[in-house]
Amino acid sequence: MAKQKFKNKRSFILTCVGAAVGLGNALRFPGLCARFGGGAYLFVYLVALIFLGVPLLNAEIALGRKYSGGAPKCMQALKRGGGRLGWTSCVNSLITAVIYAGLAGWLLTMVIKIAPLCTGGSANVSEYFFDNVLNARDDGVISGISPLVTAGIAASWVLMFLCLSGGTDSLSKAAKFTVTVPVALLLVMAARGFLYQNAGEALKALFLPDFSAFLNPELWLSALGQVFFSLSVAVGIMPAFGACLPEGTNVFSCSLAIAAADFAVSVLASVVMFTTLYGCGLQNQIGQSGILTAFAVYPAAICRLSQFPALNAAVGVLFYCSLCMMAVQSAVSMLEAFLSPLAEGFNLKKRRLTMCVCAVGGTISLVFATSAAPLIVSIADLFINFYDVLLLCILECFIIGYSRESRNLANEINRFSGRLKMPEKVFKASVKFVSPAVLVSLASYEAVRLFINGLSFPLWAQIGFGWGLSLAVLAAALLLQKLTLPRVSEGRKKLFKAHKRANC
């Protein structure tokens, strides 16, 4: 099956930026800045991005180009049995896409609801979505379903299918819209934030470091861990996109551009959140929970932006449209990470496979339109997007860092580089020693915290949408590896013979 390539380097970078930039950048990152000393967190994060995130990002893109396949094929080529890890990443991304589709449905609902909230003078704005739209219940019991959210989720899946149906062309075209438009809207909101009287106080809180925060080990672990999650590494996306990289492209320069854009959007979103919430007197509401911020804190802030309800409504619509586009683009990238190796592994037609997966995924994600949705999202997001990704990052670093074939990976990264090259010693030290040490420390810290404090969710919900879901991801990955292993092994032999002939 011929691999469709991106038309040019710019299309590739824009698509990868769309995959990396998501709700975590717009909502979670600013909350972490507020929690861990503003500029102190930004400094540690930037250093970690350069020395930890960029090397692993380079490795994934280079692997995709070298082996012309997604994560299962790349990991299997590095280590026998590594395909299991690759498939686990892909299946985990599929579940993440379902979660993001549900959140996109929520955001589309807020696009419709924010204008009436701003103009109607409701006194219960911060609780409106959960109490009046979802009729959410803390016990997780499904007692109803929201027709409006259901329609929003269905519309999100239709958009995702349209983005995926045309291959790399439709992916890059969609990214031009879903990346540039949200960034433009965030710039507008940032400009509005600068007009508040206490904008200077907000920017001071964001950018000036609290030096005492450097003594907090949670700051370091959180910033170092956030780098891996923010760049969308270890989730199968970058190898799949790297396989479609145009010939002759400089991998290192592409990675630098992706990382820089990801950091810039995170800082821009932080400026928007700090100036907006400070300007509305809600600075104490800046928290780590992105979901609570998006659907409880921001509606209250937007309705207080000015004395003109119509203006507030317009800003609210634009803001939630931008978040929705980020969620859809992230979900599209996650789906592509799963669909690409699946279509190749079973020799299936990509468009038909995409239609089937979107139909099944759309049906499953309707659970996010029910009264149990907030509880399910919180648990599933914790396990799938934090615990699973953390373990996947650790295992991937060990496979890449200690496999024999990875010794020449720095050469693959720099194959078409000019003067701008990835330093080989820095690359090897980062992937082989520093990144695994940081990730293992973060995992150990979280394991101790979990043992001492436990989780606040009901046990049945933890089993059904947490531990059980993670085990289901692993079981599906093992099954897919078993079914596709003969094809993967055959492909690996062909690659080995090709490399051997090239070296002769």
Side-chain angles (χ1 to χ4, degrees):
M1 183 182 296
K3 186 72 65 175
Q4 187 181 6
K5 302 290 185 181
F6 287 99
K7 287 185 177 181
N8 49 52
K9 174 182 175 180
R10 184 175 60 182
S11 297
F12 169 78
I13 291 175
L14 196 60
T15 306
C16 290
V17 169
V21 173
L23 297 181
N25 301 73
L27 300 173
R28 187 171 187 268
F29 185 92
L32 292 172
C33 286
R35 182 181 177 186
F36 296 113
Y41 183 84
L42 287 174
F43 175 77
V44 176
Y45 180 88
L46 181 59
V47 173
L49 180 69
I50 296 171
F51 292 102
L52 301 182
V54 169
L56 190 57
L57 179 63
N58 273 278
E60 290 199 348
I61 296 174
L63 283 170
R65 182 174 69 179
K66 181 176 182 179
Y67 297 109
S68 189
K73 188 174 183 180
C74 293
M75 293 298 105
Q76 184 69 22
L78 290 179
K79 180 177 176 58
R80 185 176 182 180
R84 299 185 186 94
L85 176 65
W87 278 118
T88 304
S89 299
C90 294
V91 177
N92 202 71
S93 289
L94 174 65
I95 303 300
T96 303
V98 173
I99 298 172
Y100 270 56
L103 294 177
W106 291 13
L107 293 166
L108 276 177
T109 302
M110 286 303 299
V111 171
I112 298 171
K113 289 292 186 179
I114 191 64
L117 286 175
C118 290
T119 57
S122 175
N124 197 27
V125 174
S126 62
E127 300 176 4
Y128 180 83
F129 179 78
F130 294 113
D131 290 351
N132 296 80
V133 177
L134 285 177
N135 296 312
R137 297 179 53 149
D138 295 334
D139 56 8
V141 174
I142 297 178
S143 58
I145 186 169
S146 169
L148 187 57
V149 177
T150 299
I153 292 174
S156 300
W157 279 100
V158 171
L159 290 173
M160 289 156 58
F161 172 75
L162 294 175
C163 292
L164 288 162
S165 59
T168 56
D169 286 342
S170 62
L171 284 172
S172 58
K173 289 178 181 177
K176 289 179 183 179
F177 186 77
T178 57
V179 173
T180 56
V181 173
V183 169
L185 295 177
L186 288 176
L187 285 171
V188 171
M189 290 197 69
R192 173 64 184 90
F194 290 145
L195 299 178
Y196 287 116
Q197 289 185 347
N198 55 355
E201 182 184 350
L203 295 176
K204 180 180 178 181
L206 174 59
F207 290 110
L208 288 184
D210 177 5
F211 292 101
S212 63
F214 286 116
L215 301 177
N216 185 354
E218 285 191 56
L219 160 66
W220 294 86
L221 291 174
S222 177
L224 298 174
Q226 178 67 15
V227 164
F228 298 98
F229 303 132
S230 182
L231 287 178
S232 293
V233 294
V235 292
I237 294 176
M238 296 306 169
F241 287 167
C244 305
L245 193 65
E247 189 66 20
T249 304
N250 183 342
V251 170
F252 185 46
S253 64
C254 288
S255 299
L256 290 178
I258 295 166
D262 182 75
F263 180 70
V265 173
S266 297
V267 173
L268 176 61
S270 300
V271 170
V272 171
M273 181 178 289
F274 273 67
T275 56
T276 300
L277 297 187
Y278 266 78
C280 298
L282 297 173
Q283 58 267 33
N284 293 330
Q285 299 295 321
I286 305 177
Q288 188 177 359
S289 174
I291 294 175
L292 185 63
T293 301
F295 297 98
V297 179
Y298 259 124
I302 290 171
C303 290
R304 301 183 192 178
L305 281 176
S306 71
Q307 298 178 350
F308 305 100
L311 175 61
N312 298 343
V315 171
V317 169
L318 294 176
F319 176 70
Y320 282 104
C321 280
S322 66
L323 290 184
C324 182
M325 283 185 277
M326 287 183 179
V328 169
Q329 180 62 40
S330 296
V332 165
S333 302
M334 295 288 181
L335 280 177
E336 178 62 23
F338 174 77
L339 291 169
S340 183
L342 189 68
E344 184 177 0
F346 291 95
N347 196 24
L348 300 172
K349 292 184 177 180
K350 186 80 171 291
R351 184 180 176 86
R352 186 175 299 175
L353 176 63
T354 302
M355 187 180 299
C356 293
V357 171
C358 286
V360 175
T363 303
I364 295 173
S365 62
L366 291 180
V367 70
F368 300 116
T370 67
S371 58
L375 179 66
I376 295 173
V377 166
S378 298
I379 299 174
D381 183 66
L382 175 64
F383 278 83
I384 297 298
N385 285 331
F386 183 62
Y387 292 154
D388 287 6
V389 172
L390 181 58
L391 293 176
L392 288 169
C393 279
I394 293 172
L395 294 174
E396 182 175 297
C397 283
F398 279 114
I399 288 180
I400 293 176
Y402 291 91
S403 65
R404 293 181 179 179
E405 300 216 14
S406 67
R407 293 176 181 175
N408 298 320
L409 195 54
N411 295 330
E412 177 65 27
I413 294 171
N414 294 323
R415 186 150 62 97
F416 297 106
S417 299
R419 294 181 179 180
L420 188 63
K421 295 179 180 292
M422 164 65 77
E424 185 175 349
K425 292 183 179 179
V426 174
F427 172 76
K428 289 184 177 180
S430 174
V431 177
K432 193 172 184 178
F433 301 110
V434 184
S435 290
V438 168
L439 291 165
V440 169
S441 299
L442 179 59
S444 301
Y445 176 84
E446 182 61 24
V448 172
R449 190 200 65 78
L450 189 62
F451 178 78
I452 296 174
N453 300 325
L455 295 174
S456 58
F457 307 114
L459 182 59
W460 68 266
Q462 292 182 42
I463 295 173
F465 300 104
W467 306 108
L469 193 58
S470 293
L471 289 175
V473 167
L474 179 59
L478 295 176
L479 178 61
L480 288 170
Q481 169 71 357
K482 183 177 181 180
L483 293 175
T484 59
L485 184 60
R487 291 188 177 92
V488 174
S489 299
E490 183 180 349
R492 189 184 183 196
K493 290 179 180 178
K494 290 181 179 179
L495 282 170
F496 178 77
K497 291 180 180 178
H499 288 312
K500 187 175 181 181
R501 285 196 299 269
N503 293 329
C504 290

